[in-house]
Amino acid sequence: MKLDAIDLRILEAIQADGRITKLALAERAGLSPTPCWMRLRKLEKAGIVTGYHARVAVRRVAPVASVLMEVTLGNHRQADFDRFERAIAAIPEIVACWSVGGGVDYILKVVAADIDAYQRLVDELLGRELGIDRYFTYIVTKTIKEETVLPLGSLLPQASA
């Protein structure tokens, strides 16, 4: 789907505020409310807008451990990747998983109650025989930047007026 400048303004506005009113969104997009709402629905139906979320400051509620984990599988058949990815997708503490090129196969972001809970999760993963050959753990000691808003203006230069 080719996006124009109005679509881009809509996407930028809802990224910044998923609870924006129809009227405020229309004003930011430079449209009247009905056409703006129809464009938003079109973006949703096309799978460009995939959901609306609240960012929770979990550390204000409870202490947590954020951990980045590199994983290398022992075998590299498609079935091995599929088995690992299915298992990872079902574990809520694993909040992100990226298949990467280079010296490792995956990088995971894990949020656990504490380091002991993280280690129990790793022990469970290893016990399930998912083909993990080796893993490395990186404890996040301080978050410097963690954005959820994408820089659409620089990523989508083809959007024109």
Side-chain angles (χ1 to χ4, degrees), residues 12-156:
E12 288 174 334
I14 63 171
Q15 272 195 121
D17 181 3
R19 296 178 64 175
I20 191 169
T21 65
K22 290 180 189 179
L23 184 58
L25 180 60
E27 287 174 5
R28 286 201 192 153
L31 290 175
S32 59
T34 299
C36 182
W37 196 247
M38 290 171 50
R39 278 185 181 245
L40 178 58
R41 290 291 171 237
K42 185 176 176 183
L43 292 166
E44 291 171 345
K45 287 181 181 170
I48 294 169
V49 176
T50 59
Y52 299 86
H53 310 278
R55 289 193 337 190
V56 177
V58 69
R59 285 187 170 87
R60 290 182 176 241
V61 180
V64 296
S66 295
V67 180
L68 299 177
M69 179 181 181
E70 292 181 354
V71 174
T72 303
L73 301 182
N75 294 304
H76 292 97
R77 297 177 307 247
Q78 189 60 49
D80 299 311
F81 292 123
D82 292 344
R83 180 178 66 238
F84 179 81
E85 291 171 14
R86 274 193 309 274
I88 294 308
I91 300 170
E93 293 85 358
I94 299 174
V95 297
C97 176
W98 300 276
S99 174
V100 296
V104 297
D105 296 319
Y106 296 96
I107 297 177
L108 287 67
K109 180 178 178 184
V110 180
V111 178
D114 53 33
I115 298 304
D116 289 335
Y118 166 74
Q119 188 58 54
R120 286 191 301 276
L121 176 72
V122 170
D123 292 343
E124 177 190 327
L125 289 173
L126 295 172
R128 291 174 64 180
E129 298 184 14
L130 298 173
I132 297 173
D133 182 44
R134 56 175 208 239
Y135 69 94
F136 295 94
T137 297
Y138 303 94
I139 308 299
V140 176
T141 58
K142 179 175 153 183
T143 300
I144 308 305
K145 181 176 182 179
E146 186 174 46
E147 290 294 325
T148 58
V149 175
L150 300 174
L152 296 177
S154 62
L155 295 175
L156 306 173

